[in-house]
Amino acid sequence: MRTDNGQAADISSCRPRRNPKANLAKIKEYMDQHYNEPLSIKQLAQMANISPKYFVDLFKKTYGQSAMEYLTDLRINRAKRYLAESGERLRDIAAKVGYSDEFYFSRKFKKEVGVSPSDFAKHFKKRIAACSAAVTGHLLALNVVPIAAPLDPKWTPYYYNAYRTQIKAHLTLTDPYTSWQFESNLDKIIRIRPDAIVGTDQLLPAEKAKLTDMASSFFVPTEKLGWRDHLRMIARFLDREDQAEMWIRRYEQRVQSAREQIEAKLGHDSILVLRIYGQAIHAYWNRGLEDVLHRDLRIRTVFRPEPSEHAQLTLEQVAELDPDRILLVVCPEASSRAYWLALQHKAAWRQLKAVTNLNVHLISADPWFEYSAMSILRMLDEAMLLFTGKCPNVLLDRSHGDA
């Protein structure tokens, strides 16, 4: 069996000599790098040192699709990137992705993508893959539902419950921030064939290179810049600057209203944000808390550690800080929950001013640990609910139709 353009490749010198599955991974890596060359099942099987029939069965069992389907995905993904970015002639793009016949390439592209290469070039960047929960939050603020995004009922319950049926490819998270299983997610992204990919600069250089090779990509610089800057940069990449500015303007209007109502309720009350992790209490602070509580709502705080610090506090130290109100995050694992239950029975805890006045407010990692346009708005709404009892329960833009 040969490739789509019927050509052959001399790749026998690259043949690995290990067990079949290890060989298969090498073959897949070789295909990633040589997709523009003529490849056949017979030659790939020879590289793996197994029979063609066994190669076909093992590849599909291991990766969920045939080797030729995977090769087609690689080629179509690269073609979409060239069409979106290069402005090259169709025949040159076809040759670059492994098709010697531009007319066959055009027919193949339309069959796989649903539109001709020329139509795609006019209307690209419609199918977006998000490589972090924060990126998902920014895309939703721009009225874009990504076609692939990290979704998990534990780490991203809001996105999971609200968008799990609209987001076709659910990427795997191992924690609520940037840690994800890159290789397994990469296969999902390749299969979904995005027009563009948005990630963050926290991805490794090799991971960025693989994503960039697959589709038009942008990686948000996460340090120093605020969420408004992040939103504007992504909007510029996706040609959605107007949506970004509209979101920011309407958010500022919401801030003004919320600030007046919360100030009337809290007066000069001070707050302290605590996090229970394991058998200890920590003072907690992050960029979202800084933006929403301190800068936007101007609530008085008694202690704001640096976001990277883990300032452990004793109950005596909490009492010395003497906050009027406490925002409390209890980590979900068993030891933290057990410590929180025990803490509520300790006299030193029960005697805290915030506790005796019933001003301890439980908050969750979602949205308070995420930093995006969507999570910032949700924090603002939750602050309104916590401090005034009023629940806006209305997002700035409820229409998300541009998946």
Side-chain angles (χ1 to χ4, degrees), residues 90-104:
L90 189 60
R91 70 176 65 178
D92 296 328
I93 293 175
K96 281 188 173 184
V97 299
Y99 296 98
S100 59
D101 184 339
E102 66 175 292
F103 300 105
Y104 176 79

Side-chain angles (χ1 to χ4, degrees), residues 27 61 97 109 120 132 160 173 181 185 225 232 236 238 246 248 270 283 312 315 324 339 342 377 390 394 403:
I27 303 307
K61 181 178 180 181
V97 299
F109 188 95
F120 175 83
S132 76
Y160 180 83
L173 278 169
Q181 300 170 7
N185 285 324
L225 299 177
R232 286 176 171 133
R236 194 174 306 120
L238 298 176
M246 181 181 297
I248 292 170
S270 62
Q312 186 170 331
L315 282 173
D324 295 298
Y339 181 73
L377 174 64
K390 299 177 182 178
V394 178

